[in-house]
Amino acid sequence: MESILKVENIEKYYGSRSSLTKAIDNLSLEVEKGEFVAIMGSSGSGKTTLLNVVSTIDRVTSGHIYVDGKDITKLKGNELNKFRREELGFIFQDFNLLDTLTAYENIALALSIQNVGAKEIDARIKKVADELDIKSILQKYPYQMSGGQKQRVASARAIITNPKLVLADEPTGALDSKSAKMLLEKFNYLDELGATILMVTHDAFTASYSRRVIFIKDGKIFKEIHRGSDTRKEFFDKIIDVVTLLGGDLSDAL
């Protein structure tokens, strides 16, 4: 399989020489094209730092990160901005929709920035809106939508540019259980598109929709498990087993 994300021996330190904190400790991992991978860990484990350096929001202290073969740790200025705009999609816990734009306009914005024609924008939005069940709210503003609807609009915005990698930061964190389940089931559509998803979550139920879960502890990979042919419920039980093995470090995951 083709590797979309390759993280090689990265380290990340915070603070000064007199008071250094190692957030990531010589961590390496790979994510293949079309994979849906969840990252779990307790607060302070390094999982959010990992997402931040992959998204180029932060920089590694040492090591390399490759996205589709490109070393993103070396990107700067306009080249870095172009990479974020064209190669990455983002799904945030708090949606990050623009209140003054309709759902349609929020989704279209990323394509407009890339100078995609109006006809193609319309066709692509209609297709993704149909799959994510948001056609009926395309002309609504964020304040007129439920949390689940906002997150599905945000998901549509994240994938509309066909990014190499979709980064999701606690995507169900602000949703009730029914909305969370509906969103996660719609994530199957992203799989069908061949989208590659790296998701940080505290929640074992959310993680059970992925194909692989990587557990981070003290800035290192503690364990990883694959869903394989397991049902979602069987995979959920395996995730809980690892949470128990961690001895309560992930108690906030349940």
Side-chain angles (χ1 to χ4, degrees):
M1 288 289 288
E2 180 185 351
S3 176
I4 286 294
L5 173 65
K6 189 173 184 181
V7 175
E8 285 188 348
N9 308 113
I10 63 168
E11 296 190 337
K12 178 63 182 178
Y13 291 89
Y14 289 108
S16 60
R17 279 189 174 185
S18 59
S19 179
L20 274 181
T21 299
K22 183 182 276 189
I24 299 180
D25 185 5
N26 196 33
L27 187 149
S28 298
L29 63 85
E30 285 193 48
V31 178
E32 295 178 349
K33 184 176 182 180
E35 257 200 302
F36 180 9
V37 178
I39 305 288
M40 296 188 74
S42 61
S43 296
S45 63
K47 67 183 185 304
T48 300
T49 301
L50 175 61
L51 194 72
N52 286 345
V53 295
V54 171
S55 67
T56 70
I57 290 172
D58 206 347
R59 287 190 172 274
V60 295
T61 303
S62 63
H64 298 274
I65 301 171
Y66 300 90
V67 174
D68 199 26
K70 182 184 294 182
D71 188 349
I72 66 172
T73 60
K74 295 181 178 179
L75 299 181
K76 295 179 181 178
N78 290 335
E79 195 177 14
L80 180 58
N81 292 334
K82 185 174 186 290
F83 167 77
R84 287 179 184 145
R85 188 171 63 243
E86 296 181 2
E87 308 293 344
L88 298 180
F90 297 93
I91 304 174
F92 301 97
Q93 180 176 339
D94 57 358
F95 320 126
N96 278 21
L97 298 177
L98 296 174
D99 293 334
T100 56
L101 299 182
T102 64
Y104 185 100
E105 291 165 340
N106 266 284
I107 300 167
L109 187 60
L111 293 174
S112 300
I113 292 170
Q114 293 184 12
N115 296 315
V116 176
K119 276 189 176 181
E120 186 179 345
I121 288 176
D122 192 60
R124 283 163 74 168
I125 289 177
K126 284 178 178 175
K127 185 176 187 299
V128 74
D130 188 49
E131 294 291 347
L132 293 178
D133 196 22
I134 53 173
K135 284 177 74 175
S136 63
I137 61 166
L138 285 177
Q139 299 311 315
K140 289 186 177 181
Y141 291 90
Y143 75 89
Q144 297 172 306
M145 305 175 204
S146 68
Q149 288 172 332
K150 288 179 187 176
Q151 196 58 295
R152 278 180 281 148
V153 170
S155 300
R157 180 188 58 189
I159 64 170
I160 198 72
T161 58
N162 298 322
K164 294 288 192 312
L165 183 64
V166 176
L167 302 170
D169 186 8
E170 301 282 2
T172 61
L175 303 180
D176 59 64
S177 57
K178 182 180 177 182
S179 296
K181 184 178 180 183
M182 187 180 296
L183 174 70
L184 291 164
E185 286 172 351
K186 293 299 181 184
F187 268 23
N188 291 331
Y189 166 62
L190 306 190
D191 278 345
E192 290 167 16
L193 277 183
T196 305
I197 307 168
L198 184 67
M199 174 181 71
V200 163
T201 182
H202 278 92
D203 182 54
F205 175 78
T206 298
S208 70
Y209 279 83
S210 69
R211 305 306 303 180
R212 175 163 58 118
V213 181
I214 298 173
F215 296 86
I216 305 289
K217 182 179 182 180
D218 299 328
K220 298 179 179 179
I221 293 177
F222 173 78
K223 188 177 181 63
E224 66 174 87
I225 56 175
H226 296 256
R227 179 168 170 178
S229 59
D230 290 346
T231 65
R232 193 197 59 74
K233 176 63 170 63
E234 289 169 338
F235 194 43
F236 173 82
D237 291 339
K238 286 184 177 179
I239 293 169
I240 296 299
D241 286 344
V242 179
V243 170
T244 304
L245 185 63
L246 279 167
D249 275 359
L250 278 173
S251 59
D252 54 346
L254 305 181

